[in-house]
Amino acid sequence: MSYRVPFVDPREHYRRLKKEIDSVLTDTLSRGDLVLRSQLREFEQNLANFVGTKHAVGVGSGYHALHFSLLAAGIGAGDEVITVGHTFVATVSAIVHAGARPVLVEVGSDFNMNPAALEAAITSRTKAILPVHLNGRVCPMDSIQRIAEKHNLAIIEDAAQALGATYRGKKAGSFGLAGCFSFYPFKALGGLGDGGALTTDDPQVARIVTLLRYNGEDRQTGEYHYHGYTALLDNVQAAVLDVKLRHLPDWIEHRRQIAELYRKGLEGIEQLSLPHFQGTEYFDSFQNYVVRTTQRDALREFLKSSGVETLVHWPKPMWEHKGLALQDPGLSETQRICKEVLSLPMSAETAPEQVAIVVESIREFFERQPASVLRTAALNLSGPR
Ligand SMILES: Cc1ncc(COP(=O)(O)O)c(C=O)c1O
């Protein structure tokens, strides 16, 4: 089905950048620069400069950045890693594949790790904390860093959704031992297919991950130092990502303006929570614009019939997927979030006129609801969180 307002618009994205992308692709391909060449090194350097770390290492996906960071931090069998229950499954799979046990804790009203829940979950087996900067908002890193120092724990940041977001002027991915990014095509910095990178100030972490991403091999000496993986960030991808990285600050500014238009258009609807959280120390990059309502499924259907595409991240908690064999951690807020969240169209291409259509459709939906339904929905939304 074609939408009046698509969630994202990859064709329009390419149309706007066609000249720059085609030129860099032609250049890279005609040189035959396909694997581990200068374009990758330059992108890594520019990414490290952007995030404010000494090193960046490109890998095959955000998942690989997480997995390799954990391995580089020495996490393995018998260890526990604390992360949140409300995240993309790859965060948790990376912990499982590193051989450790994921311990899932509750999030706050901004969808990010709740420091009190984190501290309560620490045991003698805890080795690392994996905060997830969800939707383009950085976690409260001063509290998390204090807890990590007190208990001598490594921090690996899942910054897959937060490239360019800051907390107290510091960028996501520059707080912990390593920051992990995803270049999945619909991320704020999206590639031609999946890709990822990790950022770090630690030269040893950068070296280990550089070995792990290419079968454990030191390319200078030919020595295999580990049983590694085949998980490179392709050189052509790096060349294209480097072009896009130059546009990223403008795109983030655009996302923030779109978020502000949503705020102006939607505030005052009692049954709807908007993602404008308190705290002047945060600079949100709005990877996603996530609203909350107890009427979520009906609203989503209504928006679909009005030609507005939305997404739900994620419709059920990951521990309800039997194949993942995760224990139910009893996170009632996370459970509730799964039933209430709705991500509205948001990208560098989303236009103010499209926001107006979304706003009008949402207002129409709530105006059509019988008063009794609205009262119950508002009561439920403002209940304990
Ligand atoms: C929060 C979070 N963590 C990890 C990932 C994994 O990234 P990738 O899809 O590149 O493996 C994603 C990507 O969707 C994500 O949103």
Side-chain angles (χ1 to χ4, degrees), residues 60-64 66 87-88 90-91 132 134 158 160-161 181-184 187 194-196 314:
S61 68
Y63 161 77
H64 286 101
L66 289 161
T87 181
F88 184 53
T91 317
V132 183
L134 208 66
D158 183 336
Q161 299 195 2
F181 294 96
S182 165
F183 307 127
Y184 181 76
K187 294 287 191 263
D194 214 336
W314 296 267

Side-chain angles (χ1 to χ4, degrees), residues 224-240:
Y224 294 109
H225 290 273
Y226 309 101
H227 286 287
Y229 300 79
T230 308
L232 290 174
L233 178 62
D234 291 327
N235 207 66
V236 281
Q237 284 262 46
V240 171

Side-chain angles (χ1 to χ4, degrees), residues 98-243:
R101 189 172 91 80
V103 176
L104 308 183
V105 300
E106 199 61 285
V107 291
S109 55
D110 63 354
F111 305 116
N112 277 343
M113 184 176 265
N114 174 336
L118 157 67
E119 191 149 30
I122 293 173
T123 71
S124 58
R125 287 180 297 281
T126 309
K127 288 286 155 34
I129 306 169
L130 210 169
V132 183
H133 309 309
L134 208 66
N135 301 322
R137 183 179 180 87
V138 183
C139 292
M141 288 311 295
D142 50 359
S143 309
I144 293 174
Q145 281 179 310
R146 245 192 327 270
I147 294 168
E149 271 160 35
K150 184 168 148 198
H151 298 273
N152 194 24
L153 304 173
I155 296 176
I156 307 288
E157 300 169 65
D158 183 336
Q161 299 195 2
L163 182 58
T166 73
Y167 176 70
R168 298 195 193 283
K170 219 168 132 53
K171 289 229 172 76
S174 69
F175 293 90
L177 179 67
C180 304
F181 294 96
S182 165
F183 307 127
Y184 181 76
F186 305 135
K187 294 287 191 263
L189 181 67
L192 304 175
D194 214 336
L198 68 102
T199 49
T200 182
D201 281 333
D202 187 323
Q204 192 57 15
V205 169
R207 173 165 167 78
I208 293 172
V209 174
T210 304
L211 295 172
L212 285 174
R213 74 177 174 181
Y214 200 70
N215 305 295
E217 183 187 7
D218 183 330
R219 302 269 295 168
Q220 311 273 284
T221 62
E223 185 70 18
Y224 294 109
H225 290 273
Y226 309 101
H227 286 287
Y229 300 79
T230 308
L232 290 174
L233 178 62
D234 291 327
N235 207 66
V236 281
Q237 284 262 46
V240 171
L241 286 165
D242 209 25
V243 166

Side-chain angles (χ1 to χ4, degrees), residues 13-14 17-18 20-26 28-29 39-40 43 183 189-193 233-247 251:
H13 181 74
Y14 174 58
L17 294 175
K18 184 172 173 13
E20 285 174 88
I21 291 181
D22 288 0
S23 152
V24 80
L25 279 177
T26 305
T28 309
L29 293 176
Q39 294 86 346
L40 176 61
F43 172 62
F183 307 127
L189 181 67
L192 304 175
L233 178 62
D234 291 327
N235 207 66
V236 281
Q237 284 262 46
V240 171
L241 286 165
D242 209 25
V243 166
K244 293 192 184 189
L245 184 58
R246 285 175 228 140
H247 293 276
W251 291 342

